[in-house]
Amino acid sequence: MLLGNPAPDFTLPASTGKKVKLSQFAGKKVVLFFYPQDMTPTCTAEACDFRDGIGRFRRNGAVVLGISPDPVKLHHKFAEQYELPYPLLSDEELHVCKLYDVWKLKKLYGREYMGVQRSTFLIDRDGLLAKEWRNIRIKGHVDAVLAAVKALG
């Protein structure tokens, strides 16, 4: 995906019990983070970092959305357990993961498998891709995303 191009629109079921359509946030900045799996240590740390920064994102006009292939029922449990104040979207069919090119061949201890590459996308008020972070590390990531949100004005 090329920066400056329209972010691909989608509709997915959310942990809130509703469907979320990306285009419903027109006029707002959107932080879209893809993560591999609910309830795992690294994904929990990332989700909680976004939770802890939610006030700063909202004050800067940004909406935060998390996406993984987990089912809505597990998203609901994850969001409830860790008091996540933003929707977690379920992409069980991997349509959106593939649309954003985060469904990748991964390697762990010499074993290859397909999975979600931890990635974050920043979409501006006009629905254009403003910035992307791929294969990220958790430490300092939310601060970097927040700085990019602020830089958009």
Side-chain angles (χ1 to χ4, degrees):
M1 288 190 309
L2 297 174
L3 295 180
N5 285 343
D9 198 13
F10 58 83
T11 303
L12 288 173
S15 55
T16 58
K18 298 179 181 175
K19 288 194 181 272
V20 170
K21 186 174 177 71
L22 181 61
S23 58
Q24 80 187 57
F25 302 107
K28 294 188 178 206
K29 296 175 259 188
V30 178
V31 173
L32 190 62
F33 75 96
F34 289 84
Y35 64 100
Q37 192 175 2
D38 291 339
M39 306 291 186
T40 58
T42 305
C43 294
T44 298
E46 180 181 27
C48 290
D49 282 356
F50 276 109
R51 175 199 66 201
D52 296 346
I54 197 70
R56 294 178 293 158
F57 282 105
R58 289 178 177 160
R59 282 191 296 279
N60 285 281
V63 171
V64 174
L65 303 171
I67 299 181
S68 90
D70 289 317
V72 171
K73 189 174 181 178
L74 187 56
H75 277 343
H76 179 73
K77 181 180 175 189
F78 186 46
E80 199 171 69
Q81 183 171 340
Y82 292 98
E83 299 176 3
L84 304 178
Y86 50 81
L88 298 178
L89 310 181
S90 177
D91 188 22
E92 289 185 88
E93 302 296 320
L94 304 172
H95 295 305
V96 179
C97 287
K98 290 176 181 175
L99 200 57
Y100 280 79
D101 194 30
V102 299
W103 186 248
K104 301 281 192 183
L105 181 65
K106 298 170 81 173
K107 291 182 183 181
L108 183 64
Y109 304 119
R111 186 175 72 87
E112 291 187 340
Y113 62 97
M114 294 299 291
V116 172
Q117 179 187 58
R118 191 178 311 283
S119 304
T120 302
F121 298 87
L122 175 57
I123 301 163
D124 71 14
R125 288 185 172 95
D126 297 320
L128 304 176
L129 285 169
K131 191 153 177 73
E132 66 178 35
W133 296 263
R134 292 188 176 267
N135 205 23
I136 60 141
R137 300 286 177 250
I138 302 305
K139 187 174 172 72
H141 178 61
V142 168
D143 291 333
V145 175
L146 184 61
V149 166
K150 287 178 179 179
L152 282 180

